[in-house]
Amino acid sequence: MLFVAKVDGAEQNIPNSSFIGAEYQLIAARLDDLQKTLTDIKLAMKEERATTEGKLPDELNLLQHAIFDKLTTLQNQSNKMVIEQIANTTAEQSRKEIQKLASKEDLALFKVDPGLYFRSISTRSCKEETSNRTGEFLIQPIQNDEPFLGYCEQTAFGGGWLVFQYRYDGSVDFYRNWTEYRDGFGSMDGEFWLGLEHLHRLTSSRKHELLVELTDFDGNYKYARYDEFAIGSEEEQYPLEKLGSYTGTAGDSLYDHEGLQFSTKDQDNAYWDHATEWKGGWWFVILKNVDSRNVTV
């Protein structure tokens, strides 16, 4: 048998046939080993691929469930937020509409039974009114109290003030009797007196301050502020029960009024008939030094 190999364009004769046979057997054995190794590798790859393909659907399934659960949670949270927003908006809108429609006459509709609470449409005080808006609001200082219409001033000295007397042009007659000063009179669209009974209920439920603001017709402004203020009950003749320390620019004209009872033209508690003389009700002393006809508090 002649094997011819061509190297660099030349022919070579391989004369030893026994040597060639031994080499052939060695090469054949090595090819068998390589074939077996290749078969094992292919088999291993096939098994690994089958295992991977088997795991992949499970992993995809788990991922799908995880995504679905997350979306469900987000949807529930979104629905809850929307519901809460609608509920809050509805309550706030209802409260504002009721307050907008309320007036002294309308409050007859709000006569309450013991236990009835108007917190959803009223506020305990002007300081707790969340809108921080100056205007009319229903005030209910404590539970079981009948709510009343009050005017909140939210600009002066940080806001949170309930106006109980407002006078500026003399359009409302303040020469009134005891019952009118007890229950209140006038209109919050103009001049008014809130009412002694409201003041008593308010100031007896928690600590209050007093702010008196005075402005003359030339625009000159002065004020008096007291860090405590309380009015007694009707049985006590609505005395100026507490009057704290004074600060301001108007002068401490109320310094000797603390403890005095309220007087009107038909209920003189000052023993000098000052209500008739000054044409209005007040906590009078013998020497009158505050004219309630021109005071806004």
Side-chain angles (χ1 to χ4, degrees):
M1 183 178 289
L2 180 65
F3 281 89
V4 177
K6 192 171 182 178
V7 179
D8 294 332
E11 291 185 358
Q12 268 191 333
N13 293 327
I14 303 177
N16 192 340
S17 60
S18 60
F19 176 77
I20 293 173
E23 288 295 321
Y24 173 79
Q25 291 178 359
L26 181 59
I27 291 172
R30 289 181 178 178
L31 286 173
D32 288 339
D33 291 338
L34 289 173
Q35 183 65 40
K36 184 176 182 303
T37 301
L38 182 60
T39 300
D40 292 341
I41 290 173
K42 288 183 178 180
L43 181 61
M45 290 178 64
K46 185 177 180 180
E47 292 177 352
E48 184 177 356
R49 184 173 60 186
T51 303
T52 302
E53 290 176 351
K55 289 181 178 180
L56 189 57
D58 293 335
E59 292 174 356
L60 289 174
N61 192 36
L62 291 174
L63 181 59
Q64 183 180 7
H65 280 295
I67 294 173
F68 179 78
D69 291 341
K70 188 65 176 178
L71 289 174
T72 302
T73 301
L74 290 174
Q75 183 65 44
N76 291 337
Q77 291 176 348
S78 177
N79 290 341
K80 183 179 179 181
M81 291 173 63
V82 170
I83 292 172
E84 289 178 351
Q85 185 175 5
I86 292 174
N88 293 336
T89 301
T90 302
E92 179 68 12
Q93 184 177 359
S94 298
R95 184 172 65 85
K96 287 182 178 179
E97 288 299 321
I98 291 175
Q99 289 173 341
K100 186 187 300 181
L101 295 172
S103 67
K104 287 290 185 181
E105 292 75 18
D106 293 329
L107 288 178
L109 300 174
F110 294 105
K111 297 295 183 181
V112 297
D113 298 323
L116 186 58
Y117 205 27
F118 281 84
R119 182 60 58 234
S120 61
I121 58 172
S122 65
T123 181
R124 287 206 308 165
S125 69
C126 291
K127 189 174 183 179
E128 295 183 13
E129 170 50 41
T130 57
S131 71
N132 293 322
R133 178 178 59 84
T134 295
E136 299 175 14
F137 295 91
L138 284 176
I139 310 294
Q140 188 176 20
I142 58 174
Q143 190 171 353
N144 301 329
D145 260 2
E146 177 187 336
F148 63 88
L149 189 65
Y151 191 90
C152 294
E153 165 57 51
Q154 303 289 12
T155 57
F157 295 89
W161 301 95
L162 174 67
V163 180
F164 70 83
Q165 177 174 300
Y166 185 47
R167 305 207 66 183
Y168 61 93
D169 62 2
S171 58
V172 173
D173 183 11
F174 272 61
Y175 190 40
R176 305 287 183 120
N177 61 32
W178 181 266
T179 301
E180 290 172 297
Y181 268 98
R182 180 193 64 196
D183 298 339
F185 56 84
S187 170
M188 291 182 187
D189 295 329
E191 297 187 332
F192 67 90
W193 171 266
L194 179 63
L196 290 165
E197 185 60 28
H198 293 321
L199 286 178
H200 166 62
R201 287 164 51 196
L202 277 167
T203 59
S204 62
S205 65
R206 59 203 304 189
K207 184 178 178 180
H208 280 74
E209 296 180 76
L210 172 66
L211 175 65
V212 182
E213 294 186 293
L214 304 168
T215 305
D216 65 20
F217 291 107
D218 295 324
N220 298 309
Y221 171 85
K222 293 184 178 182
Y223 76 94
R225 185 172 181 176
Y226 297 86
D227 63 8
E228 193 167 7
F229 173 67
I231 301 300
S233 66
E234 184 174 17
E235 290 76 14
E236 301 169 305
Q237 304 298 292
Y238 295 120
L240 183 53
E241 195 170 66
K242 293 180 181 179
L243 189 67
S245 299
Y246 160 83
T247 56
T249 58
D252 187 8
S253 297
L254 290 174
Y255 73 94
D256 58 351
H257 290 244
E258 185 173 8
L260 296 179
Q261 296 172 320
F262 199 85
S263 291
T264 61
K265 64 182 182 180
D266 63 337
Q267 183 69 41
D268 179 25
N269 290 311
Y271 310 106
W272 194 266
D273 203 15
H274 287 302
T276 300
E277 179 182 356
W278 292 98
K279 306 301 180 184
W282 200 250
W283 296 275
F284 291 112
V285 293
I286 293 177
L287 295 176
K288 182 74 174 64
N289 54 4
V290 173
D291 184 356
S292 68
R293 293 174 298 175
N294 298 299
V295 176
T296 298
V297 289

